[in-house]
Amino acid sequence: MKRLVFATNNAHKLDEIRAIVGRRAEILSLADIGCHVDIPETADTLEGNALQKAEYVYQHYGLDCFADDTGLEVRALDGAPGVHTARYANPNFNDTEANTAKLLGELKNKSDRHARFRTVIALLEKGEPHLFEGIVEGEITTEKRGTQGFGYDPVFAPAETGQTFAEMGVDAKNHISHRARAVGKLVEYLLSEEK
């Protein structure tokens, strides 16, 4: 079985990825390999940040690795928060409640609530980069709905469901989420390599 490091300290993301990948690969966390560094994300694109994290692990640990970066892109806000999604309300740390409150505040008087979640996964395999992208179109609700998931899940409703990610539950979300779509492409690539 292929072993890959997922360059994240986010337990929610790790659980989500492991659930999507299943038994097709062994996914190690940064903690599993003894990496306790907060890897910088200083690029101005999702692709750049994902590559930066994967390259850090590959250079320092010599292990095949993948990393992701996800952005919520809201049309009425010219694509914001985008690359700053995790630190939208505060540039120094991720505050989920403050991020969501700021987003709802910015959209208070806007009729166009179209948004999309976009995940980019960068895989470094034997030093060679591969990029995979997953997108879910939807809209930002006017208030929080649902209690499952994390981050912006209570205010993002995928177009095809009418429910927020937080109302759908983790299993349903994992079938259609931006991350699931990007991971699906990653897994497809890994399986094609085995032939």
Side-chain angles (χ1 to χ4, degrees), residues 151-172:
Y152 296 88
D153 286 357
V155 298
F156 181 80
E160 59 262 45
T161 68
Q163 293 181 303
T164 66
F165 275 153
E167 290 174 303
M168 295 171 67
V170 175
D171 288 342

Side-chain angles (χ1 to χ4, degrees), residues 132-149:
F132 309 92
E133 181 183 66
I135 295 173
V136 174
E137 303 285 344
E139 66 176 35
I140 303 301
T141 56
T142 55
E143 58 188 12
K144 290 166 73 172
R145 300 190 331 230
T147 58
Q148 299 191 49

Side-chain angles (χ1 to χ4, degrees), residues 83-128:
V83 75
H84 304 291
T85 293
R87 293 181 164 94
Y88 189 41
N90 187 316
N92 299 314
F93 57 88
N94 182 350
D95 181 338
T96 299
E97 291 300 317
N99 288 341
T100 304
K102 179 176 180 178
L103 178 66
L104 291 176
E106 299 263 342
L107 289 174
K108 193 170 185 135
N109 299 314
K110 308 259 189 217
S111 57
D112 180 0
R113 302 185 76 83
H114 178 270
R116 68 179 190 169
F117 260 120
R118 190 164 70 91
T119 292
V120 175
I121 292 177
L123 167 68
L124 265 187
E125 193 177 39
K126 299 180 183 78
E128 192 177 321

Side-chain angles (χ1 to χ4, degrees), residues 40-52 69 71 73 79 81-85 118:
E41 298 177 55
T42 55
D44 56 5
T45 65
L46 300 177
E47 292 82 357
N49 279 338
L51 270 170
Q52 190 174 25
D69 199 18
E73 300 169 342
V83 75
H84 304 291
T85 293
R118 190 164 70 91

